[in-house]
Amino acid sequence: MDDDQLLRYSRQIMLPDIDIAGQEAMLASRVLIIGLGGLGCPVALYLAAAGVGTLVLVDFDTVDESNLQRQIAHRTADVGRLKVESVTASIAALNPGVAVEAIAERLEPAALQDVVDGVDLVMDCTDSFSVRYAISDACVNTATPLVSGAAIGLEGQLMVYDPRVADAPCYRCLYEGADDRQLNCAEAGVAAATVGVIGTLQASEAIKLLVGYGESLVGHLLVWDAKYMDFRKLRLKRDPNCPGCRDQH
Ligand SMILES: [Zn+2]
């Protein structure tokens, strides 16, 4: 690290759990962020601010005016622009030391798995179960850790898959058979800070996994009810018949 980096990251380097070694681990990391909406925006901004070396951004969509209420890495002037371009510009303004690779495509499972195979960690910030299953399968098949967030209305959920932990449940162990309509903000609505809280929790888990301190959420589901400010941490078990991960054990 040079002097500028030591200064920029000084407030987290001074934490014994991170220190110089943890910062260097972050700087050497490649993290994939899929979906640059309400979850992906805070995830991208916090991971860029924290000094993750390379962020790979995936989103085929453009910025719509109705996104601006919660998707905080896009600006009013970005309406109509590709989300990967808008977020790349926000990251460059925040931390020019972060390398960004942008993919403005809807990735089919095989292509998705190729991209997942080249990163240290995957952030699922999407809003469709079919895409979420494909992301989970790619992470299971390539033994890549996954931080998966979801938020709708005034509720949010968070889970972590980590292949390094024995009997870690995957996304399908929990949600197999769920319906796409349960996730879509365009139909159900979502409060601005709800996605912000869950995205920020995703970033917090990501930094922990990259640096390697504490205990991750693996093996649990965090459920947050914003209306009554209730956090619940539920234990999750791997489903031995799960179509996503049964062949890995
Ligand atoms: Zn599974």
Side-chain angles (χ1 to χ4, degrees):
M1 268 184 281
D2 60 28
D3 285 351
D4 285 345
Q5 289 173 311
L6 287 169
L7 180 60
R8 177 184 282 266
Y9 305 120
S10 57
R11 298 305 188 272
Q12 62 194 27
I13 290 173
M14 69 173 61
L15 297 173
D17 282 322
I18 296 183
D19 211 324
I20 298 271
Q23 187 62 53
E24 284 177 340
M26 271 193 270
L27 289 166
S29 297
R30 283 172 63 84
V31 176
L32 172 62
I33 304 172
I34 307 174
L36 298 174
L39 300 170
C41 284
V43 165
L45 293 176
Y46 268 118
L47 295 187
V52 171
T54 303
L55 293 174
V56 184
L57 309 178
V58 176
D59 198 310
F60 62 88
D61 208 0
T62 54
V63 179
D64 183 83
E65 192 166 358
S66 67
N67 299 152
L68 299 173
Q69 161 255 6
R70 64 196 178 281
Q71 301 185 12
I72 57 170
H74 312 301
R75 297 288 173 260
T76 302
D78 293 321
V79 169
R81 194 178 185 194
L82 280 169
K83 289 186 176 180
V84 289
E85 289 181 3
S86 166
V87 173
T88 298
S90 294
I91 290 171
L94 173 61
N95 188 350
V98 175
V100 178
E101 298 171 17
I103 303 171
E105 288 173 45
R106 195 192 297 262
L107 294 176
E108 297 305 320
L112 174 67
Q113 187 160 312
D114 285 345
V115 177
V116 167
D117 205 19
V119 301
D120 300 299
L121 176 65
V122 177
M123 309 299 288
D124 183 350
C125 305
T126 65
D127 63 358
S128 129
F129 275 110
S130 52
V131 177
R132 286 167 171 268
Y133 294 148
I135 292 169
S136 176
D137 292 348
C139 288
V140 169
N141 293 339
T142 60
T144 308
L146 166 68
V147 179
S148 186
I152 201 84
L154 292 164
E155 292 177 358
Q157 297 190 351
L158 183 72
M159 73 163 285
V160 170
Y161 166 72
D162 188 342
R164 300 167 294 189
V165 175
D167 260 345
C170 81
Y171 190 80
R172 281 191 196 263
C173 288
L174 175 60
Y175 289 106
E176 183 69 18
D179 190 318
D180 260 0
R181 283 171 299 184
Q182 295 166 9
L183 267 175
N184 193 317
C185 294
E187 288 168 26
V190 62
T194 310
V195 276
V197 168
I198 298 298
T200 304
L201 289 173
Q202 283 182 268
S204 176
E205 284 296 293
I207 292 167
K208 196 198 298 180
L209 288 163
L210 294 173
V211 174
Y213 56 86
E215 285 179 24
S216 84
L217 190 63
V218 66
H220 297 84
L221 174 71
L222 186 77
V223 180
W224 175 47
D225 181 335
K227 195 168 177 181
Y228 298 103
M229 194 46 77
D230 179 43
F231 280 92
R232 271 169 298 159
K233 195 170 155 184
L234 312 172
R235 187 165 289 281
L236 279 185
K237 277 196 167 164
R238 196 176 70 80
D239 175 358
N241 298 314
C242 170
C245 64
R246 67 185 164 208
D247 297 335
Q248 305 296 322
H249 295 270

